[in-house]
């Protein structure tokens, strides 16, 4: 049976569906795939000079820079923008640069992103006090 906690995002005061609702997990994975692919292309073509092993390492740096700059300024990465998602603070405002960097570094560690709460937020979002919502 279990307790009824309501819909995802209810504790945060977010709507159940539509703009401002918690982003679906599938779209979030799609956005990270698009962003990582974009970073790999940049790293392979511009920084690693054709070395596939070095491209993966360079891609981590490109991802950190891209995510910190785009989420810190416009609230979404290119992949999130394409899939209609954005990152906001728990109170609905813009994330501060420090919280964006903390969130991104934890995301690059992968494991924190795989530990979710009942609202579907990864540990990287919880520690950065962020929420991924639909546009």
């Amino acid at each position: 049976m279990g307790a009824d906690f309501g819909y995802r995002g209810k504790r945060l005061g977010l709507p159940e569906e539509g703009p401002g609702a918690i982003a679906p997990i599938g779209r979030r994975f799609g956005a990270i795939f698009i962003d990582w692919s974009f970073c790999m292309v940049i790293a392979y073509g511009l920084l690693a000079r054709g070395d596939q092993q070095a491209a993966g390492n360079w891609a981590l740096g490109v991802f950190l820079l891209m995510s910190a700059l785009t989420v810190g300024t416009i609230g979404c990465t290119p992949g999130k923008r394409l899939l209609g998602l954005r990152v906001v603070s728990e109170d609905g405002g813009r994330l501060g640069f420090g919280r964006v960097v903390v969130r991104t570094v934890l995301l690059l560690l992968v494991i924190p992103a795989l530990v979710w709460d009942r609202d579907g937020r990864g540990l990287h979002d919880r520690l950065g006090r962020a929420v991924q919502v639909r546009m």
Side-chain angles (χ1 to χ4, degrees):
M1 297 306 186
D4 181 21
F5 294 115
Y7 61 88
R8 292 183 320 134
K10 183 175 183 178
R11 290 184 316 144
L12 301 169
L14 300 174
E16 187 171 1
E17 295 193 22
I22 294 280
I25 301 297
R27 278 193 194 177
R28 290 167 49 188
F29 278 125
I32 196 86
F33 178 78
I34 292 168
D35 291 335
W36 185 252
S37 299
F38 184 60
C39 291
M40 283 297 290
V41 167
I42 290 172
Y44 185 77
L46 298 178
L47 302 170
R49 298 187 182 145
D51 183 5
Q52 288 182 339
Q53 188 172 4
N57 295 331
W58 278 109
L60 288 171
V62 171
F63 186 88
L64 177 67
L65 184 64
M66 178 193 69
S67 184
L69 290 176
T70 58
V71 173
T73 55
I74 61 173
C76 58
T77 62
K80 288 183 188 345
R81 181 72 176 170
L82 285 171
L83 297 180
L85 307 176
R86 65 187 170 115
V87 180
V88 296
S89 69
E90 290 176 336
D91 63 6
R94 182 183 295 180
L95 271 169
F97 186 72
R99 290 188 352 199
V100 169
V101 171
V102 166
R103 181 186 175 278
T104 303
V105 168
L106 290 170
L107 180 61
L108 289 173
L109 293 175
V110 178
I111 299 299
L114 298 176
V115 178
W116 297 335
D117 66 4
R118 66 180 176 199
D119 289 320
R121 294 189 309 157
L123 189 57
H124 66 295
D125 281 332
R126 295 231 4 172
L127 293 175
R129 295 190 316 245
V131 182
Q132 293 186 57
V133 296
R134 295 178 184 192
M135 283 188 182

